[in-house]
Amino acid sequence: MSRQAARTGDPRKVNGELFTLTYGALVAQLMKDYENDDEVNKQLEKMGYNIGVRIIEDFLARANSGRCNDFRDVADVISKVAFKMYLGITPVVSNWSPAGDEFSLLLENNPLTDFVELPEGHDSLNYSNILCGVLKGALEMIQMDVDVKFVQDHLKGDNITEVRLKFIKRLEDAVPVGED
Amino acid sequence: MSNMAVCVAVIAKENYPLFIKTTPTDNELQFYYTVHTSLDVVEEKISSVGKNANDLRELYLGLLYPTEDYKVYGYVTNTKVKFVVVVESSNTSLRDNEIRTMFKRLHGAYVDMLSNPFYNPGENIVSRKFENVVMGMMKQD
Amino acid sequence: MADEVPFEFLHMELVAHIHNTSTKEENDTCIAKLESLGYRVGLSLIERFTKDCSRFKDELDMMKFICKDFWNLVYKKQIDNLRTNHQGVYVLQDNKFRFLTQLSNGKQYMEAAPKYLAFPCGLIRGALCSLGINCIVTAEVSAMPACKFQIQIQRL
């Protein structure tokens, strides 16, 4: 066993770094490939969607979280189980709409953005937009059409990172729209 | 915490500066020259490492050389990035341990800076976070 | 604690995206793009992994670090076999390469394997170049999920 291994860190934490760095390389590459931030945001969401429709199976197999009866249950499972399992964080669920069809996830820290310093002139880039796609894709596979978007981002100088989820409608026996 | 450096520099593996910060002075050029000169000493020290079986092979190189007014310290990472810290000779209270700590912090800050996906390796370092760490080590007038 | 699943899904989508968005380009350009992404990540990882290490003695010391510590940290296991011809070529064998275990065994999936090995080749090349070893890294799969990484040192 190498003497250096003991000092180079916890392998599980390092996995997080591999993920964070790879995601960063992806975003940086997309910014070179596409003209504007909106296009990059769209690509990130699309990629996230493709991940979401697949990762849901992994989640359901491992989470053992039981049936969700309503949107509130979904919110709890997303924040306490899904985020915890995959990203090691537990966002706070808050800002429920009176009708109970909209809520926010407040992320105090976001592993995707560790070490990231946004360059000047990219105010409309939603760096972590892949998360929106993942949530949308995953929820679609359990028959929910949900709109997901970032409303605050600490990378842009906001105090907190806030993702807003809005329930649109239930999907009956739906096939996901166009997997690319 | 030690904030006694009058000059902090980060030099790329190819021996050109990625970052130099000095305390406000009319003679900034002199610091650039000092840093440049220190690179020869750094090369000497690294190539002599390993010839002695007792070598610790530390990244910290210690005092590179003293000038009349300054003491120049060096540190080289395994990826051949060099850090140079210059302090005033008159600063006798500064211990070796404190200097090591400065380099460790500098190294940590450099690693974090490199992890920023928008930094292109080999470019000038313009990261605000990195600069803040350096400012925290520099002598405040 | 971060889970390894997000990375696996991200990597698979990354490979799919790069190939889907280059219909006119050759397969080679996609491989090169993935490799260069891996390279950049490798640079950052090696800097962090070696931050608290003492100075490496020589090239062999560095190769051992890659085979043991680096591989362990990134792939949760060590390289199974390291061979060298002592003339600048190293062959690293991993009998159960993590990236390949998600692809099913079977000859038809072997064609797809190079796409998934481009990023890891870049990781290794980025790590080694950063340590001062300029090289070319290629990979080949003879029987899933085992693969061999070949490192050709480029001496100037």
Side-chain angles (χ1 to χ4, degrees), chain A residues 2-5 7-8 14-17 19 21-22 25 29-30 33 43 50 54 62 85-86 115, chain C residues 2-7 9-10 13-14 17 33 37 41 45 48-49 52 54 65 69 73 76 98 119:
Chain A
S2 168
R3 67 190 157 88
Q4 289 158 339
R7 292 193 274 165
T8 39
V14 161
N15 254 287
E17 279 161 19
F19 175 68
L21 292 170
T22 303
Q29 182 67 50
L30 289 176
D33 291 341
Q43 289 299 320
N50 292 340
R54 296 187 178 104
R62 300 193 311 160
M85 183 189 293
Y86 292 120
F115 319 121
Chain C
D3 194 86
E4 53 191 74
V5 168
F7 174 77
F9 276 93
L10 178 63
E13 181 53 31
L14 182 60
H17 170 86
K33 231 174 177 181
L37 288 172
V41 173
L45 281 179
R48 197 173 288 280
F49 292 176
D52 299 315
S54 47
F65 181 84
D69 303 85
L73 287 166
K76 311 259 194 78
R98 216 178 94 194
F119 187 87

Side-chain angles (χ1 to χ4, degrees), chain A residues 18 22, chain C residues 7-8 10-12 14-15 19 30-43 45 49 66 70-71 74-75 79 92 94 96-103 112-129 135-141 145 147-151:
Chain A
L18 177 63
T22 303
Chain C
F7 174 77
E8 285 165 8
L10 178 63
H11 179 241
M12 291 186 86
L14 182 60
V15 172
H19 281 79
C30 297
I31 302 278
K33 231 174 177 181
L34 286 163
E35 206 269 358
S36 75
L37 288 172
Y39 178 84
R40 177 64 180 89
V41 173
L43 292 184
L45 281 179
F49 292 176
I66 298 287
F70 185 85
W71 221 258
V74 180
Y75 304 117
I79 280 288
L92 279 59
D94 188 328
K96 201 170 167 202
F97 191 58
R98 216 178 94 194
F99 286 22
L100 294 177
T101 52
Q102 304 127 42
L103 302 180
K115 294 197 282 189
Y116 294 92
L117 294 173
F119 187 87
C121 284
L123 276 183
I124 302 171
R125 188 171 69 91
L128 287 171
C129 283
C135 57
I136 297 180
V137 182
T138 50
E140 77 178 47
V141 181
C147 73
K148 289 197 188 121
F149 291 91
Q150 175 162 298
I151 299 173

